[in-house]
């Protein structure tokens, strides 16, 4: 992703609102100067199970056509649902439509509704990581045009051509979401960016506990880079707010403090959920978005 002297800032838009509302919101965030927009990759999700929930990639395609500058990404693409050949083709196409603004976030996949919706058996944590370790290199090879055939434990690809290829060269960036040791080592080996929200097993940590978890994750990432000779500065670090009792969007002072703490850990990007009145998890003051933009982006 393009460099900047300040931390980059982005927002998650869940694909549940009426389309005109979502387009207006995306354009507003772009006009304020935010760097990226993200969409969850689910068929439905938690407390939104009985609410409208639209398909991720058509939604991102529409946002790509409705905006002109802001980068677009998945938070994160889900191997429970997506074969890597089709995922690579969809991501490549959005990169074309957006003129080179696509970021492909990927993760190991969860154990909830998405893990069983098509009749499949949910995988163990070890199996999901085994699958991801095959998934990410396969995606990278497909998107760069270096690979068209593959026969692995989890996936097969036969003459899977990705033409015309990505606008971004040699391919669009891949961001790996990881919290455990194997995932972090995979991110260090294969990712252009690493995504974390802290602990993958406990959502009730204090801010201090979450920061310590992330500090330990950074150590694993950097240790693996040292082992392989990779410069850790070539991996963007994206922190997604939301897996702690901390509410950084409650006021600007808290947000600035949060950003300062994670910048000190080497994070290049912070992503928050766009405030949603009526959702107790994300019902932060809507005016905070403008306050953040004015403070950091000159918006």
């Amino acid at each position: 992703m393009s460099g900047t002297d300040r931390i980059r800032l982005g927002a998650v838009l869940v694909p549940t609102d009426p389309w005109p509302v979502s387009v207006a919101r995306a354009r507003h965030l772009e006009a304020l100067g935010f760097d990226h927009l993200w969409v969850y990759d689910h068929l439905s999700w938690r407390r939104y199970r009985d609410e409208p929930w639209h398909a991720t990639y058509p939604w991102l395609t529409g946002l790509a056509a409705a905006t002109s500058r802001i980068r677009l990404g998945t938070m994160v693409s889900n191997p429970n649902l997506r074969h890597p050949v089709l995922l690579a083709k969809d991501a490549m196409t959005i990169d074309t439509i957006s003129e080179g603004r696509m970021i492909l976030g990927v993760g190991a996949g969860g154990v909830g509704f998405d893990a069983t919706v098509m009749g499949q058996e949910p995988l163990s944590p070890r199996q999901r990581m085994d699958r991801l370790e095959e998934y990410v290199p396969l995606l990278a090879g497909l998107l760069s045009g270096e690979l068209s055939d593959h026969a692995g434990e989890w996936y097969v690809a036969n003459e899977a051509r990705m033409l015309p290829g990505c606008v971004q060269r040699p391919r669009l960036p891949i961001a790996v979401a990881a919290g455990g040791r194997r995932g972090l080592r995979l991110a260090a080996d294969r990712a252009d960016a690493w995504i974390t929200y802290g602990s993958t097993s406990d959502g009730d940590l204090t801010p201090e506990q979450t920061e310590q978890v992330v500090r330990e994750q950074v150590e694993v990432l950097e240790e693996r880079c040292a082992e392989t000779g990779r410069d850790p500065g070539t991996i963007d670090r994206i922190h997604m707010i939301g897996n702690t009792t901390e509410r950084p969007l409650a006021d600007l002072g808290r947000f600035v403090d949060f950003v300062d703490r994670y910048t000190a850990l080497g994070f290049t990007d912070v992503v928050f959920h766009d405030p949603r009145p009526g959702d107790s998890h994300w019902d932060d003051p809507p005016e905070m978005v403008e306050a953040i933009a004015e403070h950091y982006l000159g918006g």
Side-chain angles (χ1 to χ4, degrees):
M1 293 186 286
S2 59
T4 178
D5 293 333
R6 59 162 176 80
I7 196 158
R8 293 181 291 254
L9 299 170
V12 174
L13 293 179
V14 294
T16 190
D17 294 325
W19 180 241
V21 173
S22 293
V23 169
R25 192 62 188 165
R27 287 173 171 166
H28 181 61
L29 289 164
E30 180 176 63
L32 288 173
F34 284 95
D35 298 284
H36 29 67
L37 288 177
W38 303 82
V39 177
Y40 283 142
D41 188 22
H42 297 288
L43 299 182
S44 66
W45 190 73
R46 298 185 187 179
R47 57 191 177 275
Y48 287 86
R49 282 290 301 274
D50 296 320
E51 301 288 336
W53 190 277
H54 299 281
T56 302
Y57 278 83
W59 207 254
L60 274 176
T61 301
L63 292 181
T67 57
S68 60
R69 179 199 56 80
I70 198 165
R71 295 182 68 84
L72 305 160
T74 47
M75 189 66 77
V76 289
S77 287
N78 187 344
N80 290 334
L81 306 174
R82 303 194 184 278
H83 191 286
V85 170
L86 292 176
L87 176 59
K89 182 69 80 169
D90 285 346
M92 181 205 75
T93 300
I94 294 178
D95 199 51
T96 298
I97 293 168
S98 67
E99 299 182 305
R101 292 183 284 134
M102 178 68 184
I103 308 164
L104 181 56
V106 297
V111 294
F113 169 77
D114 291 338
T116 58
V117 65
M118 291 181 284
Q120 70 271 44
E121 292 294 322
L123 302 179
S124 69
R126 179 183 294 275
Q127 288 173 315
R128 294 199 303 276
M129 275 309 308
D130 289 344
R131 181 177 64 178
L132 188 65
E133 287 175 341
E134 183 177 336
Y135 200 80
V136 172
L138 178 52
L139 280 172
L142 290 166
L143 287 165
S144 64
E146 297 175 353
L147 183 154
S148 60
D149 296 286
H150 173 84
E153 179 183 357
W154 297 93
Y155 300 105
V156 173
N158 293 318
E159 299 186 27
R161 289 171 172 79
M162 294 293 149
L163 299 173
C166 299
V167 172
Q168 300 174 83
R169 297 293 182 179
R171 57 165 173 76
L172 57 84
I174 296 174
V176 172
R181 189 171 187 85
R182 286 180 66 186
L184 289 162
R185 290 169 69 87
L186 176 64
D189 289 348
R190 303 302 303 237
D192 304 291
W194 161 51
I195 300 170
T196 186
Y197 56 81
S199 173
T200 58
S201 59
D202 190 342
D204 295 319
L205 299 181
T206 66
E208 294 77 17
Q209 289 170 326
T210 295
E211 190 173 336
Q212 180 58 35
V213 167
V214 174
R215 189 181 306 275
E216 293 167 359
Q217 292 172 346
V218 168
E219 290 173 359
V220 173
L221 186 82
E222 293 182 345
E223 286 171 1
R224 179 59 176 173
C225 286
E227 291 174 5
T228 62
R230 183 176 185 182
D231 177 2
T234 63
I235 306 171
D236 289 332
R237 302 179 187 182
I238 302 169
H239 193 291
M240 190 181 78
I241 296 171
N243 198 37
T244 172
T245 56
E246 188 172 16
R247 297 293 290 263
L249 268 71
D251 63 61
L252 184 60
R254 292 189 194 183
F255 189 84
V256 170
D257 175 70
F258 184 95
V259 168
D260 287 348
R261 288 174 11 231
Y262 284 95
T263 301
L265 290 176
F267 279 83
T268 57
D269 299 76
V270 167
V271 177
F272 58 87
H273 295 87
D274 195 43
R276 297 184 61 82
D279 185 326
S280 62
H281 293 75
W282 302 329
D283 59 352
D284 298 295
E287 62 270 18
M288 271 296 299
V289 175
E290 283 73 18
I292 291 167
E294 182 176 0
H295 183 83
Y296 287 100
L297 310 172

